[in-house]
Amino acid sequence: MDGISTVIERINEIKTRFGLMRHNKIPKNQSFQETLSNTVKQLPNQKNIETKDSKKYSIPEIKSLAEDFARINNVPSSLVKAVIKTESNYNPNAVSKKGAMGLMQLMPATARALGITNPFDIQENLKGGVSILKRLLEKYDGDYKMALAAYNAGEKAVTKNNGIPPYKETKQYIEKVINSYLKNAK
C-alpha cells in the first residue's frame, strides 16, 4: 500500500501545482479506504458549494454574486448568468476536456494572466470571467455573438475568420447562451 500512497501523493502534488486540488497531501500511513472515504467527504454538496474560503454558496447566492459582478462591470447580468449556465451549469468545480475551470470555465493561462490563484473559487472565477466578457463586449462594440464567439473559440479564431468561426461547437455555444440569455432577460 506504500506504493499506492506514494503515487496518490504525487498525483495530488501535480494537481495542486495546476490549481486542480484544494486539499492537503495524504498522510503516508493512511489506508486506501481511508483516503477514498476522506476524498468523498470533501466533494461539494450540490445545494451548498464550498469554496477555498470555506463559505458555502447556494445557486441563488451564486446568481446574486454574478449579478453583483455584472453590475460592477456594466455587463448585462442575464448575459453573465447565461454564460455560467452554458459553461458550467453553475458547478464551480467543473473542468472541461480542454482544462477550462470553474463557473465561467477559465483556461489556466487566462486565470494566471488575470491573477486568479484559485479558479474554483466562486468570487475569483466570476471576477475574472465577467472582466473578460466586458472586455470582449467592448472590443466587438457590444456585439454579443462576436463576444461570445471570442469567449468560446478565442479572439485569434475570430480575427482569423473575420467573424464568428465556422466551428460547430462555437455556433452551438452562441445559440445556447443567447437562448439562455433571452430566457433570463424576461
Side-chain angles (χ1 to χ4, degrees):
M1 284 304 211
D2 268 349
I4 291 174
S5 293
T6 302
V7 170
I8 291 172
E9 190 174 311
R10 179 66 178 132
I11 290 169
N12 289 341
E13 179 184 325
I14 292 167
K15 285 181 177 181
T16 301
R17 285 187 182 187
F18 286 93
L20 302 174
M21 189 109 172
R22 292 179 288 158
H23 53 347
N24 296 326
K25 294 180 180 180
I26 298 166
K28 287 189 185 269
N29 55 354
Q30 190 175 54
S31 73
F32 177 76
Q33 188 60 41
E34 290 170 321
T35 301
L36 182 60
S37 177
N38 289 336
T39 301
V40 169
K41 285 178 189 172
Q42 292 175 2
L43 293 175
N45 180 320
Q46 289 301 313
K47 292 182 182 175
N48 289 308
I49 302 152
E50 193 170 327
T51 64
K52 74 174 186 177
D53 61 3
S54 298
K55 177 159 176 23
K56 293 183 180 183
Y57 293 89
S58 64
I59 290 178
E61 288 172 319
I62 293 171
K63 288 180 179 181
S64 178
L65 282 169
E67 290 168 1
D68 292 343
F69 281 103
R71 186 175 46 258
I72 290 165
N73 285 281
N74 200 27
V75 174
S77 64
S78 293
L79 182 62
V80 172
K81 290 186 280 188
V83 169
I84 294 168
K85 176 73 176 162
T86 303
E87 290 285 357
S88 67
N89 197 27
Y90 287 91
N91 177 1
N93 298 313
V95 179
S96 76
K97 293 175 187 172
K98 295 181 181 179
M101 302 172 284
L103 287 172
M104 297 191 77
Q105 291 291 277
L106 303 177
M107 292 299 288
T110 303
R112 281 191 300 276
L114 293 170
I116 294 171
T117 58
N118 182 0
F120 298 104
D121 178 79
I122 291 169
Q123 291 194 36
E124 283 192 75
N125 191 283
L126 287 172
K127 182 179 178 182
V130 175
S131 71
I132 293 168
L133 201 51
K134 174 185 179 171
R135 187 180 57 73
L136 293 172
L137 286 167
E138 289 173 351
K139 179 175 183 170
Y140 298 108
D141 297 318
D143 185 325
Y144 285 16
K145 289 183 178 181
M146 291 288 285
L148 292 170
Y151 195 94
N152 177 262
E155 294 172 69
K156 288 180 183 177
V158 171
T159 301
K160 177 183 171 188
N161 289 283
N162 292 321
I164 297 170
Y167 313 146
K168 182 179 177 181
E169 176 191 332
T170 300
K171 289 179 178 183
Q172 289 174 340
Y173 173 81
I174 293 167
E175 185 178 337
K176 279 179 82 173
V177 174
I178 296 295
N179 287 338
S180 182
Y181 167 77
L182 293 172
K183 186 177 175 182
N184 285 323
K186 294 178 182 177

